[in-house]
Amino acid sequence: QVQLVESGGGLVQAGGSLRLSCAASGRTFSHFAVGWFRQAPKRAREFVTSIIGTGDSPRYADSVKGRFTISRDNAKNTVYLQMNSLKPEDTAVYYCAARYRGTTTYEYWGQGTQVTVSS
């Protein structure tokens, strides 16, 4: 089992920045890839970014490339999402999720944190 807790959401003006954190507990964190997903009202959940256990090869959705950066500190069992140049369309509930290495399904999810970007 892995427990995930997101933090760092809030209200920010367009063009501003936020850093989200995803703190994990349970099994060996470095064995898990972690992804960030988001869901806006009346829209399907969408992939934002992911990072494997070693911290290499991050992936990003086209909509956030060049603005968002994912990183992880395995010593602190935490994954970060630095969000810069925020846009109103980035408004959503952001979730972190974890999948064990070698698997394709994100089995563990956090409760989400609200990010609201005002224009």
Side-chain angles (χ1 to χ4, degrees):
Q1 284 282 3
V2 174
Q3 293 78 42
L4 303 171
V5 179
E6 302 96 334
S7 61
L11 173 64
V12 64
Q13 289 188 332
S17 298
L18 281 175
R19 188 176 81 155
L20 305 184
S21 298
C22 174
S25 61
R27 298 171 63 182
T28 305
F29 185 56
S30 61
H31 291 177
F32 289 83
V34 175
W36 285 95
F37 296 79
R38 66 186 181 186
Q39 187 166 20
K42 300 182 181 181
R43 298 191 65 177
R45 185 173 62 198
E46 65 175 356
F47 169 81
V48 177
T49 181
S50 64
I51 191 168
I52 62 174
T54 59
D56 297 325
S57 305
R59 296 173 58 232
Y60 297 93
D62 288 343
S63 58
V64 306
K65 279 181 182 176
R67 300 188 298 122
F68 290 12
T69 302
I70 190 171
S71 61
R72 66 190 295 160
D73 185 340
N74 288 337
K76 295 183 178 180
N77 284 2
T78 302
V79 170
Y80 304 99
L81 178 61
Q82 178 67 42
M83 305 186 294
N84 299 328
S85 302
L86 283 162
K87 305 175 181 179
E89 51 263 44
D90 294 318
T91 296
V93 177
Y94 283 71
Y95 300 89
C96 68
R99 60 176 176 83
Y100 192 71
R101 60 188 178 185
T103 66
T104 58
T105 301
Y106 285 92
E107 184 175 359
Y108 306 100
W109 291 81
Q111 83 289 349
T113 186
Q114 176 71 48
V115 171
T116 302
V117 184
S118 63
S119 57

mmCIF file of all heavy atoms in Angstrom, residues 17-56:
data_model
loop_
_atom_site.group_PDB
_atom_site.id
_atom_site.type_symbol
_atom_site.label_atom_id
_atom_site.label_comp_id
_atom_site.label_asym_id
_atom_site.label_seq_id
_atom_site.Cartn_x
_atom_site.Cartn_y
_atom_site.Cartn_z
ATOM 1 N N SER A 17 2.679 31.513 -10.132
ATOM 2 C CA SER A 17 3.267 30.188 -9.936
ATOM 3 C C SER A 17 2.739 29.535 -8.671
ATOM 4 O O SER A 17 2.347 30.221 -7.716
ATOM 5 C CB SER A 17 4.791 30.293 -9.829
ATOM 6 O OG SER A 17 5.357 30.817 -11.007
ATOM 7 N N LEU A 18 2.748 28.228 -8.685
ATOM 8 C CA LEU A 18 2.449 27.421 -7.505
ATOM 9 C C LEU A 18 3.336 26.192 -7.550
ATOM 10 O O LEU A 18 3.720 25.735 -8.631
ATOM 11 C CB LEU A 18 0.985 26.970 -7.488
ATOM 12 C CG LEU A 18 -0.090 27.953 -7.050
ATOM 13 C CD1 LEU A 18 -1.467 27.305 -7.241
ATOM 14 C CD2 LEU A 18 0.090 28.385 -5.614
ATOM 15 N N ARG A 19 3.632 25.653 -6.371
ATOM 16 C CA ARG A 19 4.328 24.381 -6.316
ATOM 17 C C ARG A 19 3.480 23.398 -5.509
ATOM 18 O O ARG A 19 3.187 23.642 -4.333
ATOM 19 C CB ARG A 19 5.710 24.497 -5.684
ATOM 20 C CG ARG A 19 6.507 23.200 -5.812
ATOM 21 C CD ARG A 19 7.916 23.307 -5.285
ATOM 22 N NE ARG A 19 7.977 23.167 -3.839
ATOM 23 C CZ ARG A 19 9.058 22.752 -3.174
ATOM 24 N NH1 ARG A 19 10.166 22.453 -3.844
ATOM 25 N NH2 ARG A 19 9.059 22.676 -1.859
ATOM 26 N N LEU A 20 3.115 22.318 -6.159
ATOM 27 C CA LEU A 20 2.373 21.253 -5.494
ATOM 28 C C LEU A 20 3.345 20.203 -4.977
ATOM 29 O O LEU A 20 4.385 19.955 -5.585
ATOM 30 C CB LEU A 20 1.376 20.607 -6.445
ATOM 31 C CG LEU A 20 0.378 21.530 -7.145
ATOM 32 C CD1 LEU A 20 -0.595 20.694 -7.981
ATOM 33 C CD2 LEU A 20 -0.357 22.406 -6.159
ATOM 34 N N SER A 21 2.966 19.593 -3.876
ATOM 35 C CA SER A 21 3.740 18.497 -3.313
ATOM 36 C C SER A 21 2.866 17.262 -3.189
ATOM 37 O O SER A 21 1.665 17.377 -2.924
ATOM 38 C CB SER A 21 4.286 18.864 -1.931
ATOM 39 O OG SER A 21 5.170 19.964 -2.000
ATOM 40 N N CYS A 22 3.481 16.118 -3.355
ATOM 41 C CA CYS A 22 2.801 14.835 -3.176
ATOM 42 C C CYS A 22 3.670 14.018 -2.232
ATOM 43 O O CYS A 22 4.738 13.540 -2.624
ATOM 44 C CB CYS A 22 2.629 14.131 -4.507
ATOM 45 S SG CYS A 22 1.967 12.460 -4.401
ATOM 46 N N ALA A 23 3.223 13.889 -1.010
ATOM 47 C CA ALA A 23 3.976 13.157 0.000
ATOM 48 C C ALA A 23 3.474 11.729 0.069
ATOM 49 O O ALA A 23 2.265 11.490 0.163
ATOM 50 C CB ALA A 23 3.830 13.829 1.355
ATOM 51 N N ALA A 24 4.395 10.783 0.032
ATOM 52 C CA ALA A 24 4.036 9.366 0.015
ATOM 53 C C ALA A 24 4.491 8.671 1.288
ATOM 54 O O ALA A 24 5.500 9.033 1.889
ATOM 55 C CB ALA A 24 4.664 8.694 -1.192
ATOM 56 N N SER A 25 3.740 7.677 1.664
ATOM 57 C CA SER A 25 4.134 6.815 2.779
ATOM 58 C C SER A 25 3.745 5.389 2.435
ATOM 59 O O SER A 25 2.860 5.152 1.614
ATOM 60 C CB SER A 25 3.461 7.250 4.079
ATOM 61 O OG SER A 25 2.062 7.169 3.968
ATOM 62 N N GLY A 26 4.428 4.450 3.066
ATOM 63 C CA GLY A 26 4.116 3.053 2.799
ATOM 64 C C GLY A 26 5.324 2.337 2.235
ATOM 65 O O GLY A 26 6.385 2.332 2.841
ATOM 66 N N ARG A 27 5.186 1.798 1.055
ATOM 67 C CA ARG A 27 6.235 0.991 0.456
ATOM 68 C C ARG A 27 7.389 1.854 -0.076
ATOM 69 O O ARG A 27 7.306 3.069 -0.067
ATOM 70 C CB ARG A 27 5.642 0.136 -0.650
ATOM 71 C CG ARG A 27 4.586 -0.837 -0.138
ATOM 72 C CD ARG A 27 3.852 -1.533 -1.262
ATOM 73 N NE ARG A 27 4.726 -2.351 -2.070
ATOM 74 C CZ ARG A 27 4.299 -3.019 -3.134
ATOM 75 N NH1 ARG A 27 3.053 -2.927 -3.528
ATOM 76 N NH2 ARG A 27 5.148 -3.753 -3.834
ATOM 77 N N THR A 28 8.444 1.210 -0.529
ATOM 78 C CA THR A 28 9.638 1.895 -1.008
ATOM 79 C C THR A 28 9.279 2.836 -2.152
ATOM 80 O O THR A 28 8.921 2.410 -3.247
ATOM 81 C CB THR A 28 10.686 0.883 -1.475
ATOM 82 O OG1 THR A 28 10.950 -0.029 -0.415
ATOM 83 C CG2 THR A 28 11.955 1.605 -1.874
ATOM 84 N N PHE A 29 9.395 4.107 -1.871
ATOM 85 C CA PHE A 29 8.899 5.108 -2.795
ATOM 86 C C PHE A 29 9.629 5.089 -4.125
ATOM 87 O O PHE A 29 9.029 5.318 -5.173
ATOM 88 C CB PHE A 29 9.028 6.483 -2.128
ATOM 89 C CG PHE A 29 8.454 7.615 -2.916
ATOM 90 C CD1 PHE A 29 7.130 7.585 -3.317
ATOM 91 C CD2 PHE A 29 9.222 8.715 -3.246
ATOM 92 C CE1 PHE A 29 6.580 8.637 -4.031
ATOM 93 C CE2 PHE A 29 8.683 9.770 -3.960
ATOM 94 C CZ PHE A 29 7.365 9.728 -4.352
ATOM 95 N N SER A 30 10.905 4.816 -4.114
ATOM 96 C CA SER A 30 11.689 4.854 -5.349
ATOM 97 C C SER A 30 11.302 3.743 -6.321
ATOM 98 O O SER A 30 11.731 3.744 -7.471
ATOM 99 C CB SER A 30 13.182 4.760 -5.030
ATOM 100 O OG SER A 30 13.469 3.544 -4.370
ATOM 101 N N HIS A 31 10.489 2.808 -5.882
ATOM 102 C CA HIS A 31 10.023 1.735 -6.761
ATOM 103 C C HIS A 31 8.776 2.137 -7.556
ATOM 104 O O HIS A 31 8.287 1.350 -8.353
ATOM 105 C CB HIS A 31 9.699 0.481 -5.944
ATOM 106 C CG HIS A 31 10.892 -0.171 -5.353
ATOM 107 N ND1 HIS A 31 10.814 -1.289 -4.532
ATOM 108 C CD2 HIS A 31 12.211 0.131 -5.417
ATOM 109 C CE1 HIS A 31 12.022 -1.646 -4.151
ATOM 110 N NE2 HIS A 31 12.892 -0.792 -4.670
ATOM 111 N N PHE A 32 8.306 3.341 -7.315
ATOM 112 C CA PHE A 32 7.054 3.770 -7.928
ATOM 113 C C PHE A 32 7.264 4.950 -8.867
ATOM 114 O O PHE A 32 7.963 5.910 -8.544
ATOM 115 C CB PHE A 32 6.041 4.176 -6.847
ATOM 116 C CG PHE A 32 5.504 3.027 -6.058
ATOM 117 C CD1 PHE A 32 6.215 2.517 -4.981
ATOM 118 C CD2 PHE A 32 4.288 2.449 -6.396
ATOM 119 C CE1 PHE A 32 5.728 1.442 -4.264
ATOM 120 C CE2 PHE A 32 3.787 1.379 -5.676
ATOM 121 C CZ PHE A 32 4.511 0.872 -4.608
ATOM 122 N N ALA A 33 6.624 4.883 -10.021
ATOM 123 C CA ALA A 33 6.469 6.063 -10.863
ATOM 124 C C ALA A 33 5.306 6.870 -10.317
ATOM 125 O O ALA A 33 4.347 6.305 -9.781
ATOM 126 C CB ALA A 33 6.202 5.662 -12.298
ATOM 127 N N VAL A 34 5.397 8.171 -10.451
ATOM 128 C CA VAL A 34 4.342 9.057 -9.949
ATOM 129 C C VAL A 34 3.880 9.969 -11.069
ATOM 130 O O VAL A 34 4.686 10.502 -11.835
ATOM 131 C CB VAL A 34 4.848 9.884 -8.757
ATOM 132 C CG1 VAL A 34 3.784 10.903 -8.320
ATOM 133 C CG2 VAL A 34 5.205 8.970 -7.585
ATOM 134 N N GLY A 35 2.606 10.130 -11.142
ATOM 135 C CA GLY A 35 2.029 11.024 -12.132
ATOM 136 C C GLY A 35 1.150 12.066 -11.479
ATOM 137 O O GLY A 35 0.641 11.867 -10.375
ATOM 138 N N TRP A 36 1.007 13.193 -12.163
ATOM 139 C CA TRP A 36 0.034 14.210 -11.780
ATOM 140 C C TRP A 36 -1.065 14.224 -12.848
ATOM 141 O O TRP A 36 -0.769 14.208 -14.056
ATOM 142 C CB TRP A 36 0.678 15.584 -11.691
ATOM 143 C CG TRP A 36 1.526 15.801 -10.478
ATOM 144 C CD1 TRP A 36 2.869 15.645 -10.379
ATOM 145 C CD2 TRP A 36 1.070 16.213 -9.186
ATOM 146 N NE1 TRP A 36 3.296 15.934 -9.102
ATOM 147 C CE2 TRP A 36 2.219 16.291 -8.349
ATOM 148 C CE3 TRP A 36 -0.166 16.533 -8.636
ATOM 149 C CZ2 TRP A 36 2.144 16.673 -7.006
ATOM 150 C CZ3 TRP A 36 -0.234 16.919 -7.310
ATOM 151 C CH2 TRP A 36 0.904 16.979 -6.510
ATOM 152 N N PHE A 37 -2.281 14.279 -12.373
ATOM 153 C CA PHE A 37 -3.445 14.365 -13.234
ATOM 154 C C PHE A 37 -4.288 15.534 -12.744
ATOM 155 O O PHE A 37 -4.131 15.989 -11.612
ATOM 156 C CB PHE A 37 -4.265 13.067 -13.165
ATOM 157 C CG PHE A 37 -3.521 11.861 -13.680
ATOM 158 C CD1 PHE A 37 -2.570 11.230 -12.885
ATOM 159 C CD2 PHE A 37 -3.765 11.362 -14.938
ATOM 160 C CE1 PHE A 37 -1.879 10.119 -13.346
ATOM 161 C CE2 PHE A 37 -3.088 10.255 -15.416
ATOM 162 C CZ PHE A 37 -2.139 9.627 -14.618
ATOM 163 N N ARG A 38 -5.187 16.006 -13.589
ATOM 164 C CA ARG A 38 -6.072 17.079 -13.149
ATOM 165 C C ARG A 38 -7.457 16.876 -13.737
ATOM 166 O O ARG A 38 -7.621 16.253 -14.778
ATOM 167 C CB ARG A 38 -5.512 18.447 -13.545
ATOM 168 C CG ARG A 38 -5.445 18.703 -15.048
ATOM 169 C CD ARG A 38 -4.726 20.028 -15.317
ATOM 170 N NE ARG A 38 -4.653 20.333 -16.740
ATOM 171 C CZ ARG A 38 -3.982 21.358 -17.259
ATOM 172 N NH1 ARG A 38 -3.309 22.193 -16.453
ATOM 173 N NH2 ARG A 38 -3.995 21.562 -18.556
ATOM 174 N N GLN A 39 -8.425 17.429 -13.029
ATOM 175 C CA GLN A 39 -9.809 17.347 -13.494
ATOM 176 C C GLN A 39 -10.487 18.673 -13.242
ATOM 177 O O GLN A 39 -10.613 19.105 -12.086
ATOM 178 C CB GLN A 39 -10.560 16.204 -12.812
ATOM 179 C CG GLN A 39 -11.947 15.988 -13.388
ATOM 180 C CD GLN A 39 -12.547 14.675 -12.960
ATOM 181 O OE1 GLN A 39 -12.141 14.065 -11.972
ATOM 182 N NE2 GLN A 39 -13.538 14.208 -13.720
ATOM 183 N N ALA A 40 -10.930 19.292 -14.327
ATOM 184 C CA ALA A 40 -11.687 20.532 -14.240
ATOM 185 C C ALA A 40 -13.170 20.196 -14.198
ATOM 186 O O ALA A 40 -13.577 19.099 -14.620
ATOM 187 C CB ALA A 40 -11.359 21.424 -15.439
ATOM 188 N N PRO A 41 -14.012 21.116 -13.707
ATOM 189 C CA PRO A 41 -15.447 20.855 -13.659
ATOM 190 C C PRO A 41 -15.996 20.473 -15.025
ATOM 191 O O PRO A 41 -15.659 21.087 -16.039
ATOM 192 C CB PRO A 41 -16.026 22.187 -13.179
ATOM 193 C CG PRO A 41 -14.911 22.809 -12.412
ATOM 194 C CD PRO A 41 -13.658 22.406 -13.119
ATOM 195 N N LYS A 42 -16.787 19.426 -15.029
ATOM 196 C CA LYS A 42 -17.483 18.950 -16.229
ATOM 197 C C LYS A 42 -16.513 18.466 -17.306
ATOM 198 O O LYS A 42 -16.904 18.368 -18.480
ATOM 199 C CB LYS A 42 -18.396 20.036 -16.796
ATOM 200 C CG LYS A 42 -19.478 20.489 -15.823
ATOM 201 C CD LYS A 42 -20.380 21.525 -16.435
ATOM 202 C CE LYS A 42 -21.448 21.982 -15.459
ATOM 203 N NZ LYS A 42 -22.361 22.991 -16.041
ATOM 204 N N ARG A 43 -15.297 18.155 -16.915
ATOM 205 C CA ARG A 43 -14.340 17.635 -17.884
ATOM 206 C C ARG A 43 -13.745 16.342 -17.353
ATOM 207 O O ARG A 43 -13.738 16.071 -16.150
ATOM 208 C CB ARG A 43 -13.224 18.647 -18.150
ATOM 209 C CG ARG A 43 -13.717 19.952 -18.749
ATOM 210 C CD ARG A 43 -12.578 20.812 -19.232
ATOM 211 N NE ARG A 43 -11.848 20.190 -20.345
ATOM 212 C CZ ARG A 43 -10.843 20.774 -20.976
ATOM 213 N NH1 ARG A 43 -10.423 21.965 -20.605
ATOM 214 N NH2 ARG A 43 -10.233 20.157 -21.960
ATOM 215 N N ALA A 44 -13.256 15.519 -18.272
ATOM 216 C CA ALA A 44 -12.635 14.264 -17.886
ATOM 217 C C ALA A 44 -11.270 14.531 -17.243
ATOM 218 O O ALA A 44 -10.624 15.545 -17.524
ATOM 219 C CB ALA A 44 -12.469 13.366 -19.104
ATOM 220 N N ARG A 45 -10.856 13.630 -16.402
ATOM 221 C CA ARG A 45 -9.519 13.728 -15.815
ATOM 222 C C ARG A 45 -8.487 13.593 -16.917
ATOM 223 O O ARG A 45 -8.635 12.766 -17.820
ATOM 224 C CB ARG A 45 -9.333 12.630 -14.770
ATOM 225 C CG ARG A 45 -8.025 12.695 -14.011
ATOM 226 C CD ARG A 45 -8.040 11.675 -12.894
ATOM 227 N NE ARG A 45 -8.162 10.316 -13.399
ATOM 228 C CZ ARG A 45 -8.538 9.279 -12.663
ATOM 229 N NH1 ARG A 45 -8.821 9.462 -11.384
ATOM 230 N NH2 ARG A 45 -8.616 8.087 -13.191
ATOM 231 N N GLU A 46 -7.434 14.381 -16.833
ATOM 232 C CA GLU A 46 -6.411 14.338 -17.875
ATOM 233 C C GLU A 46 -5.027 14.228 -17.269
ATOM 234 O O GLU A 46 -4.756 14.713 -16.169
ATOM 235 C CB GLU A 46 -6.495 15.575 -18.776
ATOM 236 C CG GLU A 46 -6.194 16.884 -18.090
ATOM 237 C CD GLU A 46 -6.168 18.063 -19.063
ATOM 238 O OE1 GLU A 46 -6.307 17.864 -20.288
ATOM 239 O OE2 GLU A 46 -5.996 19.201 -18.587
ATOM 240 N N PHE A 47 -4.156 13.598 -18.009
ATOM 241 C CA PHE A 47 -2.763 13.456 -17.634
ATOM 242 C C PHE A 47 -2.053 14.797 -17.735
ATOM 243 O O PHE A 47 -2.264 15.542 -18.689
ATOM 244 C CB PHE A 47 -2.094 12.443 -18.564
ATOM 245 C CG PHE A 47 -0.594 12.385 -18.454
ATOM 246 C CD1 PHE A 47 0.013 11.665 -17.440
ATOM 247 C CD2 PHE A 47 0.201 13.057 -19.371
ATOM 248 C CE1 PHE A 47 1.393 11.604 -17.344
ATOM 249 C CE2 PHE A 47 1.583 13.003 -19.290
ATOM 250 C CZ PHE A 47 2.185 12.276 -18.271
ATOM 251 N N VAL A 48 -1.193 15.078 -16.742
ATOM 252 C CA VAL A 48 -0.411 16.306 -16.758
ATOM 253 C C VAL A 48 1.072 15.995 -16.947
ATOM 254 O O VAL A 48 1.719 16.508 -17.852
ATOM 255 C CB VAL A 48 -0.617 17.108 -15.455
ATOM 256 C CG1 VAL A 48 0.271 18.349 -15.453
ATOM 257 C CG2 VAL A 48 -2.084 17.489 -15.285
ATOM 258 N N THR A 49 1.599 15.150 -16.089
ATOM 259 C CA THR A 49 3.030 14.851 -16.127
ATOM 260 C C THR A 49 3.315 13.614 -15.300
ATOM 261 O O THR A 49 2.499 13.223 -14.457
ATOM 262 C CB THR A 49 3.851 16.044 -15.601
ATOM 263 O OG1 THR A 49 5.259 15.735 -15.664
ATOM 264 C CG2 THR A 49 3.487 16.372 -14.156
ATOM 265 N N SER A 50 4.454 12.979 -15.537
ATOM 266 C CA SER A 50 4.839 11.813 -14.745
ATOM 267 C C SER A 50 6.360 11.716 -14.659
ATOM 268 O O SER A 50 7.072 12.295 -15.494
ATOM 269 C CB SER A 50 4.259 10.529 -15.338
ATOM 270 O OG SER A 50 4.806 10.289 -16.621
ATOM 271 N N ILE A 51 6.797 10.942 -13.686
ATOM 272 C CA ILE A 51 8.233 10.760 -13.472
ATOM 273 C C ILE A 51 8.462 9.370 -12.916
ATOM 274 O O ILE A 51 7.682 8.891 -12.088
ATOM 275 C CB ILE A 51 8.759 11.853 -12.506
ATOM 276 C CG1 ILE A 51 10.287 11.869 -12.467
ATOM 277 C CG2 ILE A 51 8.165 11.702 -11.110
ATOM 278 C CD1 ILE A 51 10.849 13.106 -11.769
ATOM 279 N N ILE A 52 9.498 8.693 -13.388
ATOM 280 C CA ILE A 52 9.771 7.345 -12.906
ATOM 281 C C ILE A 52 10.575 7.404 -11.603
ATOM 282 O O ILE A 52 10.979 8.479 -11.169
ATOM 283 C CB ILE A 52 10.502 6.501 -13.970
ATOM 284 C CG1 ILE A 52 11.858 7.117 -14.307
ATOM 285 C CG2 ILE A 52 9.640 6.355 -15.205
ATOM 286 C CD1 ILE A 52 12.700 6.251 -15.261
ATOM 287 N N GLY A 53 10.803 6.227 -11.022
ATOM 288 C CA GLY A 53 11.404 6.160 -9.701
ATOM 289 C C GLY A 53 12.781 6.802 -9.576
ATOM 290 O O GLY A 53 13.118 7.371 -8.534
ATOM 291 N N THR A 54 13.559 6.723 -10.639
ATOM 292 C CA THR A 54 14.913 7.285 -10.612
ATOM 293 C C THR A 54 14.917 8.797 -10.829
ATOM 294 O O THR A 54 15.940 9.455 -10.656
ATOM 295 C CB THR A 54 15.782 6.657 -11.698
ATOM 296 O OG1 THR A 54 15.174 6.900 -12.963
ATOM 297 C CG2 THR A 54 15.942 5.160 -11.482
ATOM 298 N N GLY A 55 13.789 9.336 -11.242
ATOM 299 C CA GLY A 55 13.717 10.763 -11.539
ATOM 300 C C GLY A 55 14.042 11.102 -12.981
ATOM 301 O O GLY A 55 13.994 12.271 -13.381
ATOM 302 N N ASP A 56 14.338 10.093 -13.770
ATOM 303 C CA ASP A 56 14.685 10.321 -15.168
ATOM 304 C C ASP A 56 13.418 10.368 -16.025
ATOM 305 O O ASP A 56 12.343 9.973 -15.611
ATOM 306 C CB ASP A 56 15.590 9.196 -15.680
ATOM 307 C CG ASP A 56 16.905 9.144 -14.946
ATOM 308 O OD1 ASP A 56 17.428 10.217 -14.576
ATOM 309 O OD2 ASP A 56 17.407 8.023 -14.722
#
